[in-house]
Amino acid sequence: MTTAPPESRDRIYRSPLALIGGFLLLVIIGWLGIDAVVSGTGRTPWLALAALILVVPLVIAFTLRPAVFANDDRLRIRNPFRVIVVPWGEVELFRSGYSNEAFVKSGGKYQLWAIPVSLRGRKKAARQSARQAAGGRPGRGPGLFGGGRQVGGFGGPAPVPEGPTRAETDKIMDELRELLETRGQAKTSQGEVSVRWAYEIVGPAVAGAVLLAILVAVG
């Protein structure tokens, strides 16, 4: 009796800033909404409740939910309202412009919400690469009291990284392209693209919108 080989461990890519921003937004929305539900008068508690049912799933969808999972067999893209599973054999290419996108051989295109493009990060990386090419040292970060920290030892030059400096999200896209190149032809990386709607997000948001519309219409 033969057993299937164990599935490789996922590499998980998420946006730390989106997670922090989403958590703070939920705290503020929860504080204001619960206060309105508890302390409000007339129709205010019902309006606040409907708004919470509508807004909370949307905040979760666009901040806490997005993630990209990649292992040796497939790419799983968890976007605000959908989950897309693409075997590496079906991925055609990745493109990075103002957003990072995955193109599949069937003609579909899926945005990687969890890996946002940072134009500021690209400019910073370009400046660091220019300094390295000119023979200068990489920029030194602020120390405990605002000064720089020597990386290369006592009086020695700081080590210069090999190759051009890349923005963090561009490095992630490089990793995904490398996985595509190495695993695209593997037997375990073949299959069909599957797309599933996130009804656990869409359902409550639609219910909240309908309830809010009814309350506003009834007036």
Side-chain angles (χ1 to χ4, degrees):
M1 180 178 179
T2 59
T3 58
E7 186 173 311
S8 62
R9 188 174 181 177
D10 280 328
R11 305 181 190 184
I12 304 174
Y13 304 99
R14 308 184 76 170
S15 171
L17 291 179
L19 294 175
I20 295 171
F23 175 76
L24 292 177
L25 277 175
L26 288 177
V27 170
I28 295 172
I29 292 170
W31 173 42
L32 296 176
I34 293 174
D35 180 69
V37 171
V38 174
S39 306
T41 58
R43 294 189 309 120
T44 300
W46 290 104
L47 289 170
L49 181 61
L52 283 174
I53 297 174
L54 169 63
V55 173
V56 169
L58 294 180
V59 172
I60 293 174
F62 286 97
T63 59
L64 306 184
R65 177 180 169 80
V68 172
F69 305 85
N71 62 25
D72 289 345
D73 299 328
R74 53 103 182 102
L75 177 72
R76 181 159 62 96
I77 306 167
R78 194 169 71 190
N79 281 346
F81 301 113
R82 295 189 298 177
V83 177
I84 305 101
V85 179
V86 188
W88 287 116
E90 286 297 312
V91 179
E92 184 173 11
L93 59 89
F94 292 102
R95 187 175 69 183
S96 299
Y98 291 103
S99 63
N100 290 312
E101 299 166 329
F103 288 78
V104 299
K105 294 179 179 178
S106 59
K109 177 182 70 173
Y110 304 103
Q111 184 175 345
L112 307 181
W113 279 81
I115 311 176
V117 170
S118 173
L119 298 180
R120 181 180 178 183
R122 285 180 177 174
K123 291 178 180 178
K124 181 179 178 181
R127 288 195 299 267
Q128 291 178 351
S129 295
R131 285 198 296 267
Q132 293 169 17
R137 292 183 182 180
R140 293 182 291 178
L144 182 61
F145 300 102
R149 179 171 64 88
Q150 185 82 14
V151 178
F154 294 97
V160 178
E162 295 182 1
T165 304
R166 301 274 286 164
E168 190 62 33
T169 54
D170 290 335
K171 292 178 182 178
I172 293 174
M173 296 303 293
D174 290 341
E175 291 181 17
L176 295 178
R177 291 187 180 97
E178 183 179 353
L179 275 172
L180 173 60
E181 183 178 351
T182 56
R183 299 297 303 172
Q185 302 301 321
K187 291 183 179 179
T188 56
S189 302
Q190 309 306 312
E192 296 182 354
V193 179
S194 67
V195 180
R196 180 182 68 84
W197 285 94
Y199 293 107
E200 65 275 14
I201 296 291
V202 176
V206 171
V210 171
L211 179 58
L212 188 62
I214 292 174
L215 289 172
V216 171
V218 169

